[in-house]
Amino acid sequence: MRVKRIYDVVSADDGYRVLVDGIWPRGVRKEDLRLDLWLKQVAPSHELRRWFGHDPRRWDDFRERYRTELDERSEAIDLLLQYYRQGPLTLLYSARDTEHNQAVVLREYLLERASGPSVAR
């Protein structure tokens, strides 16, 4: 499972490409984007996204709060785990910061769930 900016070049090994932002990326037309699914349900809440503001000083708190939100979204998480079990999965995001964004947290969260006793890879 990988994370990738939506603006990066599409690669053959991306596999299933899922946009995990709650709002559509700026400057990208829907018809120009190679995307398999836009899963808004796994994006941080509007309030959390605004509070975080991609401020690295708030990263640890953001990670904790976002993971709490993800705990409430089991259907969407299960869907992503299904795609992950079937083959390569790429979580797409639009943030400029490649280290401090929701896709990084979501990947970590999904990998933890995938390695648990109830989900096999």
Side-chain angles (χ1 to χ4, degrees):
M1 183 183 322
R2 67 173 55 181
V3 296
K4 194 173 186 179
R5 283 193 81 218
I6 196 77
Y7 307 102
D8 292 343
V9 176
V10 175
S11 172
D13 60 348
D14 282 350
Y16 200 77
R17 295 169 48 92
V18 180
L19 177 60
V20 296
D21 283 353
I23 56 176
W24 192 256
R26 291 181 185 170
V28 178
R29 295 183 333 170
K30 290 182 183 180
E31 55 272 6
D32 293 340
L33 186 61
R34 183 170 162 260
L35 181 67
D36 296 300
L37 178 64
W38 181 15
L39 193 60
K40 297 181 216 178
Q41 296 89 334
V42 295
S45 66
H46 178 71
E47 296 79 18
L48 181 58
R49 182 179 56 81
R50 290 193 65 206
W51 171 83
F52 175 47
H54 296 283
D55 182 346
R57 294 171 298 182
R58 294 183 173 176
W59 176 243
D60 291 335
D61 287 337
F62 171 78
R63 283 180 68 241
E64 183 177 324
R65 292 177 185 189
Y66 181 42
R67 290 174 67 90
T68 299
E69 288 185 358
L70 291 172
D71 287 340
E72 304 290 319
R73 301 171 185 173
S74 60
E75 283 185 37
I77 295 300
D78 290 345
L79 180 62
L80 287 174
L81 288 172
Q82 266 184 330
Y83 290 125
Y84 175 58
R85 287 192 304 267
Q86 293 171 4
L89 174 65
T90 300
L91 305 175
L92 302 168
Y93 65 94
S94 61
R96 288 187 181 140
D97 189 333
T98 60
E99 295 178 30
H100 305 100
N101 64 72
Q102 79 276 4
V104 171
V105 178
L106 180 58
R107 178 183 183 273
E108 173 186 281
Y109 185 91
L110 290 168
L111 289 174
E112 288 172 10
R113 296 302 178 276
S115 65
S118 63
V119 178
R121 163 81 187 183

